[in-house]
Amino acid sequence: MTDKKMVETLIYTKSESLTELGTHYCPGCTHGISHRLIAEVIDEMGVREDTIGIAPVGCAVFAYDYFNMDFAEAAHGRAPAMATGLKRVNPDKIVFTYQGDGDLASIGAAEIMHTAGRGENITVIFINNAIYGMTGGQMAPTTLPGQKTTSTPLGRDIEMHGFPMRMCEILSQLDGASYVVRRSLHNVANIRKAKKAIRQAFEVQRQGLGFSMVELLSSCPTNWGMTADEALKWVGESMVEAYPLGDYKVSPEIKGMKKGGGG
Amino acid sequence: MAKELLKGNHAFAEAAIRAGCEAYFGYPITPQTEALEHMSKRMPELGRVFLQAESEVAAINMVYGAACAGVRVMSSSSSPGVSLMMEGLSYIAGSELPVVLVDIMRGGPGLGNIAPSQGDYNQIVKGGGHGDYRPIVLAPASVQEFIDLTVEAFDLAEKYRCIVIILADGSLGQMMEPAELPEMREVRRFEERPPWSLSGAKGRTPNVISSFYLDPLNEEEVNRRLMAKQAEIEANEIRFRELMLDDAEIAVVAFGTSGRIAQSAIKNAREEGIRVGLLRPISLYPFPYERIRQLGDNVKEILVVEMNSGQMLGDVRIGIEGRIPISFYGRQGGVVPMPDEVLEEIQKVNSRSSAS
Amino acid sequence: MAKGRIVVKEMYCKGCELCTSVCPQDLIHMALDQLTPKGYHPAELVDPDGECTGCAICAVICPDSAITVYRMVPEDKVKTTTA
């Protein structure tokens, strides 16, 4: 041991890109983690004053109250179209949408497809928790086969409701999409990987390289009827199996891109 | 500027550009597609934004996004496409954003056809989307008026931070007439964008644009603000044209293309010695109720002519308050009435009111 | 071992217990004798022997940014980061 003088140092505190307001999310809901990661990336890139967010309809409808930056509230599923309009007249700003699975993969399926197809230079944070949270736990387009929800009380029957939509796999087929990856928030190691992907997605936009999306496998303890801890375990087991983690599309320009600070 | 021969759809698109429109988002639909095509060429030439969206739903939400940035933005469509835009329009109304939309009406309901109609009156004039709001609605009757109202629409939208819809029909979109375009206005500089706009919260507290008010008391406050704005619009923005009403015993009330057709019929009726005049509302919201009310004191009977089954008719009845008879002549489904048909109706009304 | 401590902001803590499950030293427990303004039992650091290393793993999993982390650092290496 050296006898260097030790001083108590602040290691971690709430991000400046978040407001002081406490969120309305249920205890253990990973929306809070996603918000935090986005906010920390924006802090680290120093772009808070140049960033405009678009909130969805769904549990994250109040995101504009929690992020400390310019924000707009979209109609259900239309955030990518709104972001397109905003970005086209504000090409120098960072524009991101924050969307749930019902918003992005169901009612907004057309908007996300064409925004990705156009290679719109925006970033999409896609929260996949396999359920409609805000309306009280109904089937989502990403609900797993057999999963019980308040609108599939006997479990999702694929004969009746069809199969879950794997959005990363679908969007990665579009030439316009530049960076499409799936991460999970079920434990600390994966949360750290998720943050790196979010950083990379925002860097892709900052460098004008086109459409970026990070899908985050997330939990909904309340509507799944689990504790926060059990819910994360279910994400790690069942959801990761149904929605494999990975980089589904990383365009050659991005591979050649200089690594960002957090990338 | 000199007059040139202009097609309605090209004319309003070019007028919007000259009014400083910075972004246009749309989707092809007959009979307004020439406007989108005009924009697709002219906007990029001028370094402005044109984007063909994947649907009218997306187009209006792109308009919503660009309006959040405080730029002059518009879309145009035709009846079925405008129906798809109603969700976005309601959000734009709730967020109090200035937006201009042109509806080149066609026959309906459903897919209908591509012929001129006025069947969207109720939908557009009474609000259209969900919730309590009214857009300003302006109805031109000539290419020149189309141009002038388009320019005015941008000013009104910004003055009241509201939606302004120009309600025209397929014949106005397709017809060619000599008309004069305004001088070119440059787009607003970034620094000149309004203080409420989303431009990045540099050195200020963040701006939020939303139509979401979970507490009904807050939502009621928003509704009351919209109502107050509407009262101001109703006090200041009523527009109409009238013709030969001074000594008239019969007043024809008709808007847009119907008004233009009625005008020909009235001239012919006058030649037959029938004392008939025309009131052509230009602002359908705010509606000229007061002028209609006065007509109730001055004429014996009203004839409403529309290219629908009697939609503005309801507003005329409100203005007349049951004091004098109102008859209606309409053609539907994309059929445009001929001046002779309207003349015949005027003659019928005349023989009835002379007999009484 | 590095010395550290955490402060749980009761305004934000919702008692979800995720931090208690990830603490490598098992030093975070629910304060069952306390209630936050929102009515949750908050998490608290129970560290009589000074075992907290300030690793910030609890802050990484906390959905509510309720945890502030401090660590004793050599004077020449002071740098505030986010987790």
PDB file of all heavy atoms in Angstrom, chain A residues 34 38 96-100 104 123-127 197-198 201-202 212-216:
ATOM      1  N   SER A  34     -33.625   2.137 -18.696  1.00  0.00           N
ATOM      2  CA  SER A  34     -33.455   2.626 -20.081  1.00  0.00           C
ATOM      3  C   SER A  34     -33.311   4.147 -20.098  1.00  0.00           C
ATOM      4  O   SER A  34     -32.436   4.690 -20.780  1.00  0.00           O
ATOM      5  CB  SER A  34     -34.669   2.260 -20.951  1.00  0.00           C
ATOM      6  OG  SER A  34     -34.984   0.909 -20.808  1.00  0.00           O
ATOM      7  N   ILE A  38     -29.915   6.181 -21.504  1.00  0.00           N
ATOM      8  CA  ILE A  38     -29.984   7.195 -22.571  1.00  0.00           C
ATOM      9  C   ILE A  38     -29.439   8.520 -22.044  1.00  0.00           C
ATOM     10  O   ILE A  38     -28.627   9.197 -22.685  1.00  0.00           O
ATOM     11  CB  ILE A  38     -31.441   7.374 -23.053  1.00  0.00           C
ATOM     12  CG1 ILE A  38     -31.952   6.089 -23.703  1.00  0.00           C
ATOM     13  CG2 ILE A  38     -31.562   8.556 -24.005  1.00  0.00           C
ATOM     14  CD1 ILE A  38     -33.473   6.053 -23.879  1.00  0.00           C
ATOM     15  N   PHE A  96     -34.261  11.489 -31.166  1.00  0.00           N
ATOM     16  CA  PHE A  96     -34.491  10.078 -30.863  1.00  0.00           C
ATOM     17  C   PHE A  96     -35.941   9.838 -30.473  1.00  0.00           C
ATOM     18  O   PHE A  96     -36.612  10.727 -29.969  1.00  0.00           O
ATOM     19  CB  PHE A  96     -33.523   9.585 -29.773  1.00  0.00           C
ATOM     20  CG  PHE A  96     -33.867   9.979 -28.358  1.00  0.00           C
ATOM     21  CD1 PHE A  96     -34.562   9.098 -27.521  1.00  0.00           C
ATOM     22  CD2 PHE A  96     -33.485  11.205 -27.838  1.00  0.00           C
ATOM     23  CE1 PHE A  96     -34.877   9.441 -26.213  1.00  0.00           C
ATOM     24  CE2 PHE A  96     -33.797  11.564 -26.535  1.00  0.00           C
ATOM     25  CZ  PHE A  96     -34.491  10.675 -25.717  1.00  0.00           C
ATOM     26  N   THR A  97     -36.402   8.621 -30.743  1.00  0.00           N
ATOM     27  CA  THR A  97     -37.723   8.216 -30.276  1.00  0.00           C
ATOM     28  C   THR A  97     -37.534   7.150 -29.206  1.00  0.00           C
ATOM     29  O   THR A  97     -36.531   6.437 -29.189  1.00  0.00           O
ATOM     30  CB  THR A  97     -38.605   7.628 -31.388  1.00  0.00           C
ATOM     31  OG1 THR A  97     -38.087   6.340 -31.758  1.00  0.00           O
ATOM     32  CG2 THR A  97     -38.650   8.526 -32.608  1.00  0.00           C
ATOM     33  N   TYR A  98     -38.513   7.075 -28.337  1.00  0.00           N
ATOM     34  CA  TYR A  98     -38.505   6.070 -27.267  1.00  0.00           C
ATOM     35  C   TYR A  98     -39.851   5.374 -27.386  1.00  0.00           C
ATOM     36  O   TYR A  98     -40.889   5.998 -27.213  1.00  0.00           O
ATOM     37  CB  TYR A  98     -38.360   6.784 -25.931  1.00  0.00           C
ATOM     38  CG  TYR A  98     -38.205   5.869 -24.733  1.00  0.00           C
ATOM     39  CD1 TYR A  98     -36.946   5.598 -24.211  1.00  0.00           C
ATOM     40  CD2 TYR A  98     -39.316   5.283 -24.126  1.00  0.00           C
ATOM     41  CE1 TYR A  98     -36.798   4.761 -23.114  1.00  0.00           C
ATOM     42  CE2 TYR A  98     -39.166   4.449 -23.040  1.00  0.00           C
ATOM     43  CZ  TYR A  98     -37.913   4.194 -22.531  1.00  0.00           C
ATOM     44  OH  TYR A  98     -37.764   3.368 -21.445  1.00  0.00           O
ATOM     45  N   GLN A  99     -39.844   4.089 -27.760  1.00  0.00           N
ATOM     46  CA  GLN A  99     -41.111   3.431 -28.096  1.00  0.00           C
ATOM     47  C   GLN A  99     -41.205   2.037 -27.494  1.00  0.00           C
ATOM     48  O   GLN A  99     -40.229   1.300 -27.460  1.00  0.00           O
ATOM     49  CB  GLN A  99     -41.225   3.288 -29.629  1.00  0.00           C
ATOM     50  CG  GLN A  99     -41.146   4.597 -30.379  1.00  0.00           C
ATOM     51  CD  GLN A  99     -41.211   4.383 -31.877  1.00  0.00           C
ATOM     52  OE1 GLN A  99     -40.208   4.417 -32.558  1.00  0.00           O
ATOM     53  NE2 GLN A  99     -42.404   4.121 -32.385  1.00  0.00           N
ATOM     54  N   GLY A 100     -42.404   1.684 -27.074  1.00  0.00           N
ATOM     55  CA  GLY A 100     -42.646   0.342 -26.567  1.00  0.00           C
ATOM     56  C   GLY A 100     -43.001  -0.619 -27.690  1.00  0.00           C
ATOM     57  O   GLY A 100     -43.039  -0.242 -28.861  1.00  0.00           O
ATOM     58  N   LEU A 104     -44.337   0.430 -31.329  1.00  0.00           N
ATOM     59  CA  LEU A 104     -43.435   0.266 -32.477  1.00  0.00           C
ATOM     60  C   LEU A 104     -43.806  -0.916 -33.369  1.00  0.00           C
ATOM     61  O   LEU A 104     -43.790  -0.819 -34.588  1.00  0.00           O
ATOM     62  CB  LEU A 104     -41.991   0.134 -31.978  1.00  0.00           C
ATOM     63  CG  LEU A 104     -40.902   0.017 -33.050  1.00  0.00           C
ATOM     64  CD1 LEU A 104     -39.656   0.775 -32.634  1.00  0.00           C
ATOM     65  CD2 LEU A 104     -40.547  -1.447 -33.331  1.00  0.00           C
ATOM     66  N   THR A 123     -32.401   8.034 -34.072  1.00  0.00           N
ATOM     67  CA  THR A 123     -32.142   6.876 -33.209  1.00  0.00           C
ATOM     68  C   THR A 123     -33.452   6.458 -32.543  1.00  0.00           C
ATOM     69  O   THR A 123     -34.204   7.299 -32.055  1.00  0.00           O
ATOM     70  CB  THR A 123     -31.095   7.235 -32.139  1.00  0.00           C
ATOM     71  OG1 THR A 123     -29.889   7.602 -32.812  1.00  0.00           O
ATOM     72  CG2 THR A 123     -30.822   6.052 -31.211  1.00  0.00           C
ATOM     73  N   VAL A 124     -33.694   5.154 -32.550  1.00  0.00           N
ATOM     74  CA  VAL A 124     -34.900   4.614 -31.928  1.00  0.00           C
ATOM     75  C   VAL A 124     -34.490   3.720 -30.767  1.00  0.00           C
ATOM     76  O   VAL A 124     -33.642   2.834 -30.926  1.00  0.00           O
ATOM     77  CB  VAL A 124     -35.709   3.789 -32.956  1.00  0.00           C
ATOM     78  CG1 VAL A 124     -36.897   3.090 -32.278  1.00  0.00           C
ATOM     79  CG2 VAL A 124     -36.197   4.678 -34.091  1.00  0.00           C
ATOM     80  N   ILE A 125     -35.051   3.985 -29.607  1.00  0.00           N
ATOM     81  CA  ILE A 125     -34.869   3.085 -28.470  1.00  0.00           C
ATOM     82  C   ILE A 125     -36.174   2.310 -28.327  1.00  0.00           C
ATOM     83  O   ILE A 125     -37.239   2.895 -28.104  1.00  0.00           O
ATOM     84  CB  ILE A 125     -34.549   3.859 -27.172  1.00  0.00           C
ATOM     85  CG1 ILE A 125     -33.338   4.787 -27.381  1.00  0.00           C
ATOM     86  CG2 ILE A 125     -34.321   2.890 -26.010  1.00  0.00           C
ATOM     87  CD1 ILE A 125     -32.039   4.115 -27.733  1.00  0.00           C
ATOM     88  N   PHE A 126     -36.078   1.016 -28.513  1.00  0.00           N
ATOM     89  CA  PHE A 126     -37.261   0.146 -28.595  1.00  0.00           C
ATOM     90  C   PHE A 126     -37.317  -0.736 -27.342  1.00  0.00           C
ATOM     91  O   PHE A 126     -36.450  -1.572 -27.122  1.00  0.00           O
ATOM     92  CB  PHE A 126     -37.173  -0.704 -29.872  1.00  0.00           C
ATOM     93  CG  PHE A 126     -38.192  -1.807 -29.960  1.00  0.00           C
ATOM     94  CD1 PHE A 126     -39.492  -1.655 -29.484  1.00  0.00           C
ATOM     95  CD2 PHE A 126     -37.852  -3.025 -30.547  1.00  0.00           C
ATOM     96  CE1 PHE A 126     -40.417  -2.689 -29.575  1.00  0.00           C
ATOM     97  CE2 PHE A 126     -38.771  -4.056 -30.650  1.00  0.00           C
ATOM     98  CZ  PHE A 126     -40.056  -3.893 -30.156  1.00  0.00           C
ATOM     99  N   ILE A 127     -38.332  -0.503 -26.539  1.00  0.00           N
ATOM    100  CA  ILE A 127     -38.501  -1.240 -25.289  1.00  0.00           C
ATOM    101  C   ILE A 127     -39.427  -2.429 -25.529  1.00  0.00           C
ATOM    102  O   ILE A 127     -40.622  -2.250 -25.791  1.00  0.00           O
ATOM    103  CB  ILE A 127     -39.121  -0.323 -24.202  1.00  0.00           C
ATOM    104  CG1 ILE A 127     -38.298   0.964 -24.041  1.00  0.00           C
ATOM    105  CG2 ILE A 127     -39.262  -1.070 -22.876  1.00  0.00           C
ATOM    106  CD1 ILE A 127     -36.866   0.774 -23.660  1.00  0.00           C
ATOM    107  N   ALA A 197     -24.299   0.033 -26.541  1.00  0.00           N
ATOM    108  CA  ALA A 197     -25.046   0.020 -27.812  1.00  0.00           C
ATOM    109  C   ALA A 197     -25.790   1.336 -28.021  1.00  0.00           C
ATOM    110  O   ALA A 197     -25.844   1.864 -29.140  1.00  0.00           O
ATOM    111  CB  ALA A 197     -26.014  -1.156 -27.825  1.00  0.00           C
ATOM    112  N   ILE A 198     -26.350   1.872 -26.945  1.00  0.00           N
ATOM    113  CA  ILE A 198     -27.066   3.157 -27.057  1.00  0.00           C
ATOM    114  C   ILE A 198     -26.080   4.249 -27.469  1.00  0.00           C
ATOM    115  O   ILE A 198     -26.363   5.073 -28.346  1.00  0.00           O
ATOM    116  CB  ILE A 198     -27.785   3.502 -25.733  1.00  0.00           C
ATOM    117  CG1 ILE A 198     -28.909   2.486 -25.469  1.00  0.00           C
ATOM    118  CG2 ILE A 198     -28.337   4.921 -25.762  1.00  0.00           C
ATOM    119  CD1 ILE A 198     -29.503   2.558 -24.065  1.00  0.00           C
ATOM    120  N   ALA A 201     -25.369   3.862 -31.072  1.00  0.00           N
ATOM    121  CA  ALA A 201     -26.501   4.306 -31.904  1.00  0.00           C
ATOM    122  C   ALA A 201     -26.523   5.833 -32.026  1.00  0.00           C
ATOM    123  O   ALA A 201     -26.718   6.378 -33.117  1.00  0.00           O
ATOM    124  CB  ALA A 201     -27.811   3.805 -31.305  1.00  0.00           C
ATOM    125  N   PHE A 202     -26.315   6.515 -30.914  1.00  0.00           N
ATOM    126  CA  PHE A 202     -26.290   7.988 -30.967  1.00  0.00           C
ATOM    127  C   PHE A 202     -25.074   8.491 -31.755  1.00  0.00           C
ATOM    128  O   PHE A 202     -25.159   9.505 -32.445  1.00  0.00           O
ATOM    129  CB  PHE A 202     -26.298   8.580 -29.545  1.00  0.00           C
ATOM    130  CG  PHE A 202     -27.688   8.694 -28.956  1.00  0.00           C
ATOM    131  CD1 PHE A 202     -28.302   7.613 -28.333  1.00  0.00           C
ATOM    132  CD2 PHE A 202     -28.391   9.888 -29.030  1.00  0.00           C
ATOM    133  CE1 PHE A 202     -29.580   7.721 -27.799  1.00  0.00           C
ATOM    134  CE2 PHE A 202     -29.675  10.011 -28.498  1.00  0.00           C
ATOM    135  CZ  PHE A 202     -30.268   8.920 -27.883  1.00  0.00           C
ATOM    136  N   SER A 212     -30.622   4.189 -36.731  1.00  0.00           N
ATOM    137  CA  SER A 212     -30.103   3.301 -35.682  1.00  0.00           C
ATOM    138  C   SER A 212     -31.215   2.942 -34.715  1.00  0.00           C
ATOM    139  O   SER A 212     -32.066   3.774 -34.389  1.00  0.00           O
ATOM    140  CB  SER A 212     -28.936   3.961 -34.943  1.00  0.00           C
ATOM    141  OG  SER A 212     -29.310   5.224 -34.430  1.00  0.00           O
ATOM    142  N   MET A 213     -31.209   1.686 -34.287  1.00  0.00           N
ATOM    143  CA  MET A 213     -32.206   1.242 -33.309  1.00  0.00           C
ATOM    144  C   MET A 213     -31.571   0.271 -32.325  1.00  0.00           C
ATOM    145  O   MET A 213     -30.852  -0.648 -32.716  1.00  0.00           O
ATOM    146  CB  MET A 213     -33.396   0.554 -33.986  1.00  0.00           C
ATOM    147  CG  MET A 213     -34.460   0.122 -32.966  1.00  0.00           C
ATOM    148  SD  MET A 213     -35.910  -0.648 -33.719  1.00  0.00           S
ATOM    149  CE  MET A 213     -35.434  -2.367 -33.671  1.00  0.00           C
ATOM    150  N   VAL A 214     -31.844   0.502 -31.061  1.00  0.00           N
ATOM    151  CA  VAL A 214     -31.431  -0.441 -30.021  1.00  0.00           C
ATOM    152  C   VAL A 214     -32.699  -0.992 -29.385  1.00  0.00           C
ATOM    153  O   VAL A 214     -33.500  -0.239 -28.824  1.00  0.00           O
ATOM    154  CB  VAL A 214     -30.554   0.238 -28.945  1.00  0.00           C
ATOM    155  CG1 VAL A 214     -30.132  -0.782 -27.885  1.00  0.00           C
ATOM    156  CG2 VAL A 214     -29.333   0.882 -29.583  1.00  0.00           C
ATOM    157  N   GLU A 215     -32.898  -2.291 -29.519  1.00  0.00           N
ATOM    158  CA  GLU A 215     -34.017  -2.953 -28.837  1.00  0.00           C
ATOM    159  C   GLU A 215     -33.515  -3.393 -27.471  1.00  0.00           C
ATOM    160  O   GLU A 215     -32.441  -3.985 -27.342  1.00  0.00           O
ATOM    161  CB  GLU A 215     -34.485  -4.171 -29.653  1.00  0.00           C
ATOM    162  CG  GLU A 215     -35.563  -4.989 -28.926  1.00  0.00           C
ATOM    163  CD  GLU A 215     -36.121  -6.145 -29.765  1.00  0.00           C
ATOM    164  OE1 GLU A 215     -35.871  -6.183 -30.987  1.00  0.00           O
ATOM    165  OE2 GLU A 215     -36.792  -7.008 -29.178  1.00  0.00           O
ATOM    166  N   LEU A 216     -34.307  -3.086 -26.455  1.00  0.00           N
ATOM    167  CA  LEU A 216     -33.920  -3.445 -25.088  1.00  0.00           C
ATOM    168  C   LEU A 216     -34.961  -4.412 -24.518  1.00  0.00           C
ATOM    169  O   LEU A 216     -36.126  -4.034 -24.333  1.00  0.00           O
ATOM    170  CB  LEU A 216     -33.841  -2.184 -24.215  1.00  0.00           C
ATOM    171  CG  LEU A 216     -32.799  -1.143 -24.647  1.00  0.00           C
ATOM    172  CD1 LEU A 216     -32.956   0.138 -23.835  1.00  0.00           C
ATOM    173  CD2 LEU A 216     -31.380  -1.688 -24.504  1.00  0.00           C
TER     174      LEU A 216
END
